[in-house]
């Protein structure tokens, strides 16, 4: 009787129950996934860590994966193998993903071929792991949902994290006047180097007055909001007529006065990359790949952790003060 080929095993982070960061368990005997049709198997070199992964892990998020699962969607690495009908990629190609099917916090990950993109040589794997969710989210917030136009002003509230820096780079490249906030001097310098025309410290008690003064008191056209549970009420005062707040991040409730939207006919719009249509995702991908090609899309990598320190990474992304670029796991 022919023996079945023994399947390879790998290290991967597994979540068996929802809860705090301690539920992330690194295991060394997880089976390497096999790519089915229209799927690509990637040897992971780096994987991005996104705040949304901490919400999913805690069990408080709208989307709950079936347990056990491996977190992570933004991986960068090298194609190890492809399933049937995959013609766009071959073994050895450098790639990055927007999402994975098997989970990115692992040595190997399988992804649908239409969620995999070529990683140009000018970017390293750490940068590749910082593209997917941040840049697609920023593009969606600015253009697909925010209807941004060249010549308008945008305030990126919390601009020094992964999505914030992506929004600054994209908005600047597309002709907007870009204002950004951060909580540290280092964060402010970082956003100025990445496309913001002016930076403000959101820990300064008068920072909203300074932003208003900067717009000649007319207010800003668009706000990309990473922490709406803290800032939304103040955001409504900062908007120009017909201005709009794009809610990208939120960690709790907030009280606002809806009348503030009436005086300017302003709007508050939620943004979720998970709800993008196939066509919208393709549009995001085209814009992102063009940005890499043109040279203005340069992901900024922040804190780096080995897979063994994944618990620490999840603690730090929520609790550390002042984001500086995109957090990544290195494999």
């Amino acid at each position: 009787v022919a023996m079945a080929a023994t399947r390879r095993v790998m290290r991967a982070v597994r979540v068996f129950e929802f809860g705090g960061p301690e539920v992330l368990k690194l295991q060394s005997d997880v089976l390497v996934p096999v790519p089915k049709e229209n799927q690509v198997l990637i040897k992971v070199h780096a994987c991005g860590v996104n705040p949304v992964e901490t919400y999913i892990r805690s069990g408080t998020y709208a989307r709950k994966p079936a347990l056990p699962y491996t977190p992570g969607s933004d991986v960068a690495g090298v194609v190890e193998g492809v399933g049937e009908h995959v013609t766009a990629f071959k073994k050895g190609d450098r790639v990055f993903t927007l999402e994975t099917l098997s989970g990115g916090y692992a040595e190997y990950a399988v992804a649908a071929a239409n969620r995999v993109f070529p990683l140009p040589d000018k970017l390293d794997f750490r940068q590749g792991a910082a593209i997917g969710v941040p840049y697609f989210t920023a593009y969606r917030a600015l253009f697909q949902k925010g209807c941004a136009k060249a010549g308008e002003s945008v305030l990126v509230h919390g601009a020094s994290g992964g999505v914030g820096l992506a929004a600054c780079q994209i908005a600047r490249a597309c002709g907007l006047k870009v204002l950004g906030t951060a909580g540290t001097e280092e964060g402010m310098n970082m956003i100025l180097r990445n496309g913001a025309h002016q930076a403000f410290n959101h820990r300064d008690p008068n920072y909203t007055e300074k932003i208003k003064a900067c717009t000649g008191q007319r207010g800003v056209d668009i706000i990309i909001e990473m922490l709406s549970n803290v800032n939304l009420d103040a955001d409504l005062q900062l908007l120009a007529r017909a201005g709009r707040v794009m809610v990208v991040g939120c960690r709790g409730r907030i009280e606002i006065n809806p009348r503030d939207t009436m005086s300017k006919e302003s709007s508050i719009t939620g943004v979720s990359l998970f709800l993008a249509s196939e066509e919208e995702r393709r549009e995001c991908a085209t814009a992102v790949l063009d940005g890499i090609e043109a040279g203005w899309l340069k992901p900024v990598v922040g804190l780096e952790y080995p897979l063994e320190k994944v618990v620490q990474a999840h603690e730090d992304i929520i609790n550390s003060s002042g984001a500086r670029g995109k957090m990544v796991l290195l494999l």
Side-chain angles (χ1 to χ4, degrees), residues 159-178:
S160 61
V163 178
L165 289 166
C168 289
Q169 290 178 3
I170 294 171
R172 180 66 181 252
C174 295
L176 282 93
K177 179 177 183 182
V178 186

Side-chain angles (χ1 to χ4, degrees), residues 1 42 48 82 143 145 205 319:
V1 183
I42 299 160
V82 298
F143 298 104
K145 294 292 164 189
N319 300 323

Side-chain angles (χ1 to χ4, degrees), residues 94-117:
R94 287 164 44 97
V95 293
F96 71 93
T97 68
L98 176 59
E99 57 190 70
T100 70
L101 296 163
S102 59
Y105 296 7
E107 289 178 324
Y108 293 89
V110 87
N114 64 356
R115 302 284 191 279
V116 179
F117 307 96

Side-chain angles (χ1 to χ4, degrees), residues 47-65:
C47 180
V49 180
N50 296 292
V52 68
E53 287 145 26
T54 69
Y55 311 150
I56 294 170
R57 182 214 71 227
S58 69
T60 59
Y61 196 64
R63 290 167 65 252
K64 274 201 180 78

Side-chain angles (χ1 to χ4, degrees), residues 63 96-100 112-117 132-133 135-137 139-140 144 272-289:
R63 290 167 65 252
F96 71 93
T97 68
L98 176 59
E99 57 190 70
T100 70
N114 64 356
R115 302 284 191 279
V116 179
F117 307 96
V133 169
Y135 282 88
F136 282 60
T137 300
Y139 183 87
R140 181 168 180 75
Q144 294 177 340
S272 171
L273 187 55
F274 297 119
L275 296 177
S277 67
E278 189 55 48
E279 195 179 348
E280 287 172 326
R281 262 194 301 266
R282 272 203 298 272
E283 182 195 339
C284 289
T286 303
V288 163
L289 293 169

Side-chain angles (χ1 to χ4, degrees), residues 17-89:
E17 59 180 328
F18 296 112
E22 70 283 352
V23 303
L24 298 163
K25 305 290 185 197
L26 179 57
Q27 306 212 289
S28 54
D29 57 354
V30 180
L31 285 174
V32 173
V34 175
K36 302 189 177 74
E37 65 176 346
N38 299 313
Q39 294 178 359
V40 176
L41 176 67
I42 299 160
K43 183 175 190 341
V44 179
H45 285 253
C47 180
V49 180
N50 296 292
V52 68
E53 287 145 26
T54 69
Y55 311 150
I56 294 170
R57 182 214 71 227
S58 69
T60 59
Y61 196 64
R63 290 167 65 252
K64 274 201 180 78
L67 296 165
Y69 77 97
T70 294
S73 57
D74 299 336
V75 308
V78 175
V79 174
E80 178 79 7
V82 298
E84 281 184 274
H85 312 307
V86 176
T87 53
F89 301 102

